[in-house]
Amino acid sequence: MSTIEHAVEVDGEKLMQFVFRAVDEVGATLNAALVVMGDKLGLYRALAGAGRLSPAELAEPTGTAERYVCEWVNAQAAGGYVIHDPDSGRYTLPPEQAVALTDPDSPAYLPGFFQIALGSVIDSPKIAEKARSGDGFGWHEHVHDVHEGCERFVRPGYNAHLISEWLPALDGVVEKLQRGALVADVGCGHGASTILMAQAFPNSTFVGSDYHDGSIETARQRAKEAGVSERVGFQIAPAASYSGTSYDLVTMFDCLHDIGDPVGAARHVRQTLKADGTWMIVEPHAGDRVEDNFNPVGRAYYAFSTLLCTPASLSQEVGLALGAQAGEARIRDVVQTAGFTRFRRAAETPFNLVFEAGP
Ligand SMILES: C[S@@+](CC[C@H](N)C(=O)[O-])C[C@H]1O[C@@H](n2cnc3c(N)ncnc32)[C@H](O)[C@@H]1O
């Protein structure tokens, strides 16, 4: 029998403060499921702009059972997502929450963020097993909520910044796109960035690629729905071997750190770019020192990095595993190791860093 000696005294008050903070976090963890549920069932959309509704009045138009809605809406009220009116027993969705929870065109739109988080949590037992063995877990192996949640999470940020800020921050790129350029969007997922650029620059041609066949199938469908299929092709290809040459612009949105061999991919980008071409790399916002990232955004990204990005890279050849909080210095190192001579930070938002590289 062994005895554990507590040499350090525990402050009871601090212990209880931590426990109650953790209670809040357990509520927040469960709320990820409730937000996804509210989004899928149309509960937020029914509440938005509807004034005060009782659970029965919310259940009726959404075709849901009042008893479930009652518990759901009380959890929302306890979390500050909706406001409860004790006199009438009814609930209101404040206008700010209505924007964040129901307006996909707003940069503040949140359901995709929750959907990818919940999908990641759903797959977490598999990641825990991989953490024992050190093996990877590919992006393609995740549940659909990870893929669709990713698309719905990134699109509002791209809508808000890509055309108006990020591309104009690159040297001479907008002028080329306006005249008619050839663009490769590598690791394009469901093609949110590819389609947005194609809509903004009707004289240019776009080739999206991703190693995940399911994502490419969806990207093709999205391009068709957006009416840009003629100028936007998609191919199933790893970043190290997508086809085509003489690209004016190669873009990588939130995927360089997911790639097992980012240096190999970077060498391929260099070979496929024109001599005066540009490589645009969009990565999660991060400082170079881990302690720079101990904030709410860094916390979410380190969690995604544990559950999605690091396993994805480890599942591929080389398995460099840059992580979602790689930071500028590590990205610069990858880019320069591949032989690029130009590299700079061109733009940033609280969520993203945008780099420009050139041969
Ligand atoms: C976080 S998602 C970003 C998707 C997309 N760029 C976006 O912004 O919505 C990362 C993407 O990288 C892709 N990916 C990972 N490793 C890859 C590789 N070696 N070659 C090509 N794509 C890769 C995944 O399939 C996934 O679609």
Side-chain angles (χ1 to χ4, degrees):
M1 208 168 85
S2 66
T3 314
I4 298 172
E5 291 196 9
H6 293 282
V8 183
E9 260 193 39
V10 171
D11 179 326
E13 204 174 312
K14 283 187 184 163
L15 174 62
M16 288 322 289
Q17 273 173 6
F18 179 66
V19 168
F20 277 104
R21 204 194 117 203
V23 170
D24 199 27
E25 303 219 339
V26 171
T29 306
L30 293 165
N31 196 50
L34 297 194
V35 171
V36 171
M37 185 174 162
D39 175 52
K40 288 190 175 164
L41 295 175
L43 296 169
Y44 294 121
R45 289 188 290 283
L47 276 164
R52 288 182 193 154
L53 295 184
S54 68
E57 289 162 345
L58 180 54
E60 203 271 324
T62 51
T64 51
E66 180 186 347
R67 191 65 195 87
Y68 278 89
V69 170
C70 194
E71 297 306 292
W72 178 87
V73 80
N74 280 328
Q76 298 304 292
Y81 280 54
V82 304
I83 307 295
H84 175 236
D85 173 40
D87 294 335
S88 64
R90 289 181 158 83
Y91 302 80
T92 319
L93 188 67
E96 295 76 20
Q97 275 87 331
V99 167
L101 293 164
T102 69
D103 180 1
D105 293 329
S106 165
Y109 187 60
L110 289 170
F113 206 178
F114 281 99
Q115 190 180 356
I116 186 172
L118 183 64
S120 306
V121 169
I122 288 168
D123 281 336
S124 64
K126 295 174 193 154
I127 302 302
E129 283 310 310
K130 301 297 182 189
R132 285 186 204 284
S133 66
D135 293 338
F137 190 86
W139 180 262
H140 63 283
E141 296 179 80
H142 284 287
V143 292
H144 181 66
D145 276 333
V146 166
H147 306 141
E148 190 182 86
C150 178
E151 174 191 7
R152 296 178 75 210
F153 165 49
V154 297
R155 185 179 284 121
Y158 298 167
N159 281 342
H161 304 289
L162 173 55
I163 307 301
S164 60
E165 294 164 33
W166 295 349
L167 289 170
L170 308 177
D171 195 16
V173 166
V174 167
E175 292 75 12
K176 287 184 191 172
L177 288 166
Q178 283 167 341
R179 278 198 305 270
L182 181 60
V183 182
D185 188 14
V186 178
C188 68
H190 287 189
S193 51
T194 334
I195 292 165
L196 190 59
M197 290 189 288
Q199 288 170 323
F201 299 104
N203 294 330
S204 289
T205 303
F206 297 83
V207 182
S209 61
D210 198 290
Y211 90 109
H212 178 216
D213 54 353
S215 286
I216 289 299
E217 203 180 306
T218 303
R220 286 188 179 128
Q221 187 56 36
R222 298 278 190 268
K224 210 166 152 190
E225 287 158 8
V228 293
S229 296
E230 276 186 15
R231 288 181 298 109
V232 184
F234 287 101
Q235 53 178 256
I236 301 163
S241 61
Y242 61 86
S243 68
T245 52
S246 298
Y247 287 105
D248 297 288
L249 174 67
V250 175
T251 55
M252 283 193 192
F253 291 86
D254 199 16
C255 67
L256 183 64
H257 64 272
D258 290 316
I259 294 170
D261 181 9
V263 175
R267 288 202 177 101
H268 188 64
V269 172
R270 203 162 152 262
Q271 281 161 8
T272 59
L273 266 180
K274 276 185 182 162
D276 65 345
T278 301
W279 181 19
M280 177 194 193
I281 305 156
V282 178
E283 277 288 297
H285 199 289
D288 289 331
R289 302 173 311 165
V290 286
E291 57 269 33
D292 297 336
N293 306 319
F294 296 160
N295 53 59
V297 172
R299 185 187 189 196
Y301 282 160
Y302 274 125
F304 281 127
S305 193
T306 310
L307 296 171
L308 299 178
C309 315
T310 300
S313 179
L314 289 174
S315 74
Q316 301 180 18
E317 268 180 39
V318 180
L320 188 65
L322 286 170
Q325 292 289 267
E328 179 168 343
R330 296 200 74 199
I331 301 297
R332 178 191 296 273
D333 187 46
V334 165
V335 170
Q336 291 181 340
T337 305
F340 283 84
T341 58
R342 289 192 290 117
F343 179 87
R344 72 178 178 103
R345 185 189 294 209
E348 64 187 285
T349 68
F351 291 96
N352 288 109
L353 295 176
V354 180
F355 302 109
E356 173 177 19

